[in-house]
Amino acid sequence: MKVLFVGGTGQISAAIVRKLVKEGTEVWLINRGNHTPQEGVHQIIADINDEAKISEAIKHLYFDAVCEFIGFTVKDMERDYRLFKGKTRQYIFTSSASAYHKPAASYIITEGTTLANPHWQYSKDKIACEEYLMKQYREEGFPVTIVRPSHTYDEKNIPLGVHGKNGFYQVIKRMQEGKPVIIQGDGTSLWHLTFNEDFAIGYAGLIGNRHAIGEAFHITGDEVLTWNQIYQTIADALGVELKAYHVAADFLSAVGDKYGFDLKGSLTGDKSVSVVFDNSKIKRLVPEMTTYIPYHKGVRLALDYIKSHPAEYKEDPEFDAWCDRVISALEKAKTEI
């Protein structure tokens, strides 16, 4: 097979590319060339918005699948439709599980759960992209498959609910320093975490699968954890005591905005809501899709990487001070009420 990735070097897509190359698939990437692709991959260095250059580069190429990982708006979808109509047997759009209704009528999420997220523009844009693509499928036969990842991570990242602009590292540092760390809500909401190599199994199984055309699939791990369990697993791996400080998601969203931490979408529109994904649909097409790297193993892989690559991670004193202010203000409120 010949497969083209728009992107292909990100946290999720890189794992899929590695898997496909290992299996002997001919893989092409379109990106700006900011990251060196792995050996055996063909690269078209260009801005995907430069349609003339892309059209010329793929003029004599035809793909079994085009995999879009950096499309976020309807404008992006209209561009891709112009570029790839008649050039591929399958167009796979990476949407987001955050597009599901928050909160949904049931915490058990299937692909039939309503798409509606008024809290996060990112999710609203993904919904609009899906609607556009499905219209092209119904009316023009454009061979679309929609994939909805949830919280997917790799060996370089540790998934958290609340962090600052520089990502998770400052929270890890607070744990190591014996400081309290903020967990949204009471920490009992349910959540799925998926290691990127596990995600790649499900995604790769959809490539070239005619039963996936015109369909949407979420791809997540089978493991369900509370946020308290997620943070405790990190503390256990670090060998430190977890000093959890629970704060209402609405409060965090409000005070985060003052300091430029966009928490409303990621919390109210996503992580503060319990979700349990029913993965039966993806498993019907890809029976081997399962959790091979549970979170207690994934977090240790990430911590090993962090320890061996310290220069890649930046401290975040602004977020650190914000956490202290939030905790101090709430502790003061307890004495004054």
Side-chain angles (χ1 to χ4, degrees):
M1 286 197 301
K2 183 184 294 185
V3 179
L4 173 68
F5 283 76
V6 182
T9 59
Q11 183 170 278
I12 297 178
S13 58
I16 304 167
V17 169
R18 286 195 298 270
K19 178 175 175 58
L20 293 178
V21 170
K22 185 177 180 180
E23 293 173 351
T25 301
E26 182 180 338
V27 177
W28 291 69
L29 307 184
I30 294 176
N31 55 44
R32 295 178 179 177
N34 295 327
H35 298 88
T36 302
Q38 69 181 82
E39 187 177 350
V41 171
H42 305 272
Q43 188 176 29
I44 299 171
I45 298 177
D47 186 330
I48 186 60
N49 291 305
D50 188 344
E51 291 188 44
K53 185 173 183 179
I54 299 298
S55 294
E56 180 63 25
I58 65 173
K59 181 170 59 176
H60 301 298
L61 298 174
Y62 186 85
F63 300 97
D64 292 288
V66 171
C67 306
E68 171 61 85
F69 277 88
I70 55 174
F72 302 99
T73 67
V74 171
K75 184 179 178 181
D76 296 336
M77 298 303 97
E78 292 171 341
R79 174 205 65 211
D80 281 10
Y81 181 69
R82 291 190 297 267
L83 283 171
F84 302 119
K85 181 182 179 181
K87 299 293 292 183
T88 184
R89 292 186 177 90
Q90 184 183 28
Y91 174 89
I92 305 179
F93 170 61
T94 306
S95 183
S96 170
S98 69
Y100 290 120
H101 196 192
K102 298 294 185 298
S106 170
Y107 72 96
I108 298 176
I109 305 299
T110 72
E111 284 82 357
T113 298
T114 301
L115 302 183
N117 190 337
H119 307 289
W120 203 358
Q121 188 60 46
Y122 167 81
S123 304
K124 289 190 281 188
D125 288 341
K126 288 289 191 179
I127 293 169
C129 289
E130 288 197 28
E131 291 173 344
Y132 171 82
L133 290 170
M134 290 307 295
K135 182 175 185 294
Q136 303 313 310
Y137 166 71
R138 289 190 298 267
E139 297 180 3
E140 304 294 335
F142 189 56
V144 64
T145 297
I146 292 169
V147 170
R148 299 173 186 144
S150 186
H151 204 155
T152 307
Y153 69 106
D154 64 6
E155 76 283 357
K156 299 179 182 180
N157 295 278
I158 293 177
L160 295 169
V162 182
H163 59 76
K165 298 173 185 176
N166 291 344
F168 68 88
Y169 182 70
Q170 193 66 43
V171 178
I172 304 303
K173 192 168 186 294
R174 287 181 68 89
M175 286 187 180
Q176 292 173 319
E177 293 174 350
K179 293 182 177 180
V181 293
I182 294 173
I183 302 176
Q184 71 275 15
D186 63 2
T188 62
S189 58
L190 302 173
W191 198 244
H192 281 248
L193 296 170
T194 310
F195 200 74
N196 66 344
E197 291 181 8
D198 287 344
F199 180 93
I201 295 169
Y203 190 101
L206 295 176
I207 295 175
N209 192 324
R210 66 177 63 254
H211 300 292
I213 303 300
E215 297 288 340
F217 303 84
H218 50 241
I219 302 177
T220 78
D222 297 316
E223 186 178 29
V224 183
L225 298 167
T226 68
W227 280 102
N228 285 334
Q229 290 172 327
I230 291 168
Y231 278 75
Q232 186 63 60
T233 301
I234 299 169
D236 290 346
L238 287 169
V240 300
E241 177 189 357
L242 173 64
K243 296 181 179 179
Y245 198 91
H246 297 103
V247 182
D250 288 348
F251 183 86
L252 289 171
S253 297
V255 298
D257 284 348
K258 294 174 61 178
Y259 295 95
F261 305 134
D262 182 17
L263 297 176
K264 182 178 180 181
S266 65
L267 292 184
T268 308
D270 202 25
K271 298 179 183 67
S272 65
V273 180
S274 281
V275 292
V276 174
F277 291 99
D278 178 347
N279 290 314
S280 57
K281 186 175 182 180
I282 183 67
K283 288 175 182 289
R284 283 196 297 271
L285 268 63
V286 191
E288 61 271 30
M289 177 64 199
T290 191
T291 296
Y292 292 97
I293 304 178
Y295 187 57
H296 71 276
K297 291 185 178 179
V299 75
R300 283 171 168 78
L301 290 173
L303 287 173
D304 287 345
Y305 185 91
I306 294 165
K307 291 174 184 176
S308 60
H309 299 78
E312 294 184 19
Y313 299 92
K314 296 180 181 179
E315 295 185 20
D316 193 339
E318 182 184 15
F319 175 73
D320 194 52
W322 177 83
C323 290
D324 291 337
R325 285 196 297 273
V326 169
I327 294 169
S328 177
L330 289 174
E331 288 300 302
K332 181 180 180 182
K334 290 178 183 178
T335 66
E336 295 179 348
I337 296 175

